[in-house]
Amino acid sequence: MQKAPYVLVFLAMCLIYVPRMFVAQAQAKQPEGYDNAHPRDQQSRLSDFGKRANGAHANGFEAFMMFSAGVLGSVLGKVDPRMIVGLGSAFLVFRCIYIALYLGNKPTLRSSVWTLGFLATCALLLAPAFIGG
Protein backbone atom coordinates (compact mmCIF):
# COMPACT_ATOMS: atom_id res chain seq x y z
CA MET A 1 0.00 0.00 0.00
CA GLN A 2 2.96 2.32 0.57
CA LYS A 3 3.95 2.25 -3.11
CA ALA A 4 0.42 2.46 -4.53
CA PRO A 5 0.20 6.28 -4.51
CA TYR A 6 3.31 6.48 -6.67
CA VAL A 7 1.87 3.93 -9.07
CA LEU A 8 -1.28 6.08 -9.30
CA VAL A 9 0.83 9.11 -10.26
CA PHE A 10 2.62 7.05 -12.90
CA LEU A 11 -0.67 5.76 -14.34
CA ALA A 12 -2.09 9.28 -14.44
CA MET A 13 1.00 10.38 -16.35
CA CYS A 14 0.48 7.53 -18.82
CA LEU A 15 -3.12 8.61 -19.40
CA ILE A 16 -1.87 11.94 -20.72
CA TYR A 17 -0.43 10.11 -23.71
CA VAL A 18 -3.38 7.88 -24.61
CA PRO A 19 -5.09 10.68 -26.58
CA ARG A 20 -1.72 11.68 -28.03
CA MET A 21 -1.61 8.41 -29.96
CA PHE A 22 -4.84 9.43 -31.68
CA VAL A 23 -3.44 12.89 -32.39
CA ALA A 24 -0.44 11.32 -34.12
CA GLN A 25 -2.73 9.11 -36.20
CA ALA A 26 -4.78 12.15 -37.24
CA GLN A 27 -1.61 14.01 -38.17
CA ALA A 28 -0.37 11.06 -40.23
CA LYS A 29 -3.66 11.09 -42.19
CA GLN A 30 -3.12 14.68 -43.29
CA PRO A 31 -2.30 15.18 -47.00
CA GLU A 32 1.28 16.11 -46.13
CA GLY A 33 1.62 13.21 -43.70
CA TYR A 34 2.98 13.61 -40.19
CA ASP A 35 4.91 16.89 -40.00
CA ASN A 36 7.67 16.11 -37.52
CA ALA A 37 9.37 19.43 -38.24
CA HIS A 38 6.34 21.47 -37.09
CA PRO A 39 4.00 19.10 -35.25
CA ARG A 40 2.30 21.77 -33.15
CA ASP A 41 1.48 23.86 -36.18
CA GLN A 42 -0.03 20.79 -37.78
CA GLN A 43 -1.96 19.92 -34.62
CA SER A 44 -3.52 23.40 -34.59
CA ARG A 45 -4.98 22.68 -38.04
CA LEU A 46 -6.57 19.35 -37.09
CA SER A 47 -10.35 19.12 -37.08
CA ASP A 48 -13.03 16.89 -35.61
CA PHE A 49 -11.60 13.74 -33.99
CA GLY A 50 -7.97 14.86 -34.20
CA LYS A 51 -8.79 18.21 -32.63
CA ARG A 52 -10.73 16.54 -29.81
CA ALA A 53 -7.87 14.10 -29.21
CA ASN A 54 -5.46 17.02 -29.01
CA GLY A 55 -7.77 18.75 -26.52
CA ALA A 56 -7.92 15.62 -24.37
CA HIS A 57 -4.13 15.35 -24.50
CA ALA A 58 -3.65 18.98 -23.43
CA ASN A 59 -6.21 18.64 -20.65
CA GLY A 60 -4.31 15.61 -19.37
CA PHE A 61 -1.33 17.83 -18.53
CA GLU A 62 -3.58 20.30 -16.74
CA ALA A 63 -5.26 17.60 -14.65
CA PHE A 64 -2.02 15.75 -13.91
CA MET A 65 -0.37 18.73 -12.27
CA MET A 66 -3.00 19.11 -9.55
CA PHE A 67 -3.62 15.36 -9.17
CA SER A 68 0.04 14.53 -8.61
CA ALA A 69 0.35 17.42 -6.13
CA GLY A 70 -2.68 16.07 -4.30
CA VAL A 71 -1.37 12.53 -4.12
CA LEU A 72 2.13 13.54 -3.03
CA GLY A 73 0.78 16.11 -0.56
CA SER A 74 -1.50 13.48 0.94
CA VAL A 75 1.42 11.08 1.29
CA LEU A 76 3.53 13.75 2.99
CA GLY A 77 0.56 14.76 5.14
CA LYS A 78 0.22 11.18 6.38
CA VAL A 79 -3.29 10.70 5.03
CA ASP A 80 -4.47 7.10 5.32
CA PRO A 81 -3.05 5.33 2.25
CA ARG A 82 -6.41 3.61 1.66
CA MET A 83 -8.03 7.02 1.23
CA ILE A 84 -5.28 8.14 -1.15
CA VAL A 85 -5.66 4.96 -3.20
CA GLY A 86 -9.45 5.25 -3.22
CA LEU A 87 -9.51 8.87 -4.35
CA GLY A 88 -6.63 8.34 -6.76
CA SER A 89 -8.26 5.29 -8.31
CA ALA A 90 -11.53 7.19 -8.67
CA PHE A 91 -9.65 9.96 -10.46
CA LEU A 92 -8.07 7.46 -12.86
CA VAL A 93 -11.43 5.86 -13.64
CA PHE A 94 -12.98 9.28 -14.25
CA ARG A 95 -10.01 10.22 -16.45
CA CYS A 96 -10.45 7.11 -18.60
CA ILE A 97 -14.15 7.86 -19.02
CA TYR A 98 -13.38 11.53 -19.68
CA ILE A 99 -10.96 10.64 -22.49
CA ALA A 100 -13.49 8.28 -24.08
CA LEU A 101 -16.21 10.92 -23.90
CA TYR A 102 -13.89 13.59 -25.32
CA LEU A 103 -12.93 11.36 -28.23
CA GLY A 104 -16.57 10.32 -28.69
CA ASN A 105 -17.74 13.95 -28.89
CA LYS A 106 -19.99 13.91 -25.81
CA PRO A 107 -19.19 17.35 -24.38
CA THR A 108 -21.91 17.69 -21.71
CA LEU A 109 -21.33 14.28 -20.18
CA ARG A 110 -17.58 14.78 -20.54
CA SER A 111 -17.78 17.96 -18.46
CA SER A 112 -19.75 16.16 -15.76
CA VAL A 113 -17.15 13.40 -15.55
CA TRP A 114 -14.36 15.99 -15.53
CA THR A 115 -16.05 17.58 -12.51
CA LEU A 116 -16.03 14.26 -10.65
CA GLY A 117 -12.31 13.85 -11.33
CA PHE A 118 -11.71 17.42 -10.23
CA LEU A 119 -13.56 16.78 -6.96
CA ALA A 120 -11.41 13.70 -6.31
CA THR A 121 -8.33 15.86 -6.88
CA CYS A 122 -9.66 18.57 -4.56
CA ALA A 123 -10.25 15.94 -1.87
CA LEU A 124 -6.65 14.77 -2.24
CA LEU A 125 -5.37 18.33 -1.99
CA LEU A 126 -7.46 19.10 1.09
CA ALA A 127 -7.09 15.77 2.90
CA PRO A 128 -3.78 16.64 4.63
CA ALA A 129 -5.33 19.80 6.09
CA PHE A 130 -8.41 18.12 7.48
CA ILE A 131 -7.70 14.44 8.08
CA GLY A 132 -3.94 13.99 7.79
CA GLY A 133 -1.85 12.41 10.53
Side-chain angles (χ1 to χ4, degrees), residues 66-81 83-84 87 119-133:
M66 292 191 315
F67 172 74
S68 59
V71 169
L72 298 176
S74 287
V75 168
L76 291 173
K78 297 184 181 2
V79 172
D80 183 342
M83 177 176 250
I84 298 170
L87 289 168
L119 291 173
T121 296
C122 288
L124 283 165
L125 287 164
L126 291 170
F130 293 103
I131 53 177

Side-chain angles (χ1 to χ4, degrees), residues 91-102:
F91 172 84
L92 291 177
V93 168
F94 294 138
R95 246 358 255 178
C96 289
I97 296 168
Y98 172 87
I99 291 167
L101 292 170
Y102 211 139

Side-chain angles (χ1 to χ4, degrees), residues 9 21-22 61-62 72 84 86 98 110 118 123:
V9 171
M21 292 184 287
F22 295 106
F61 284 104
E62 297 162 4
L72 298 176
I84 298 170
Y98 172 87
R110 177 190 87 214
F118 180 72

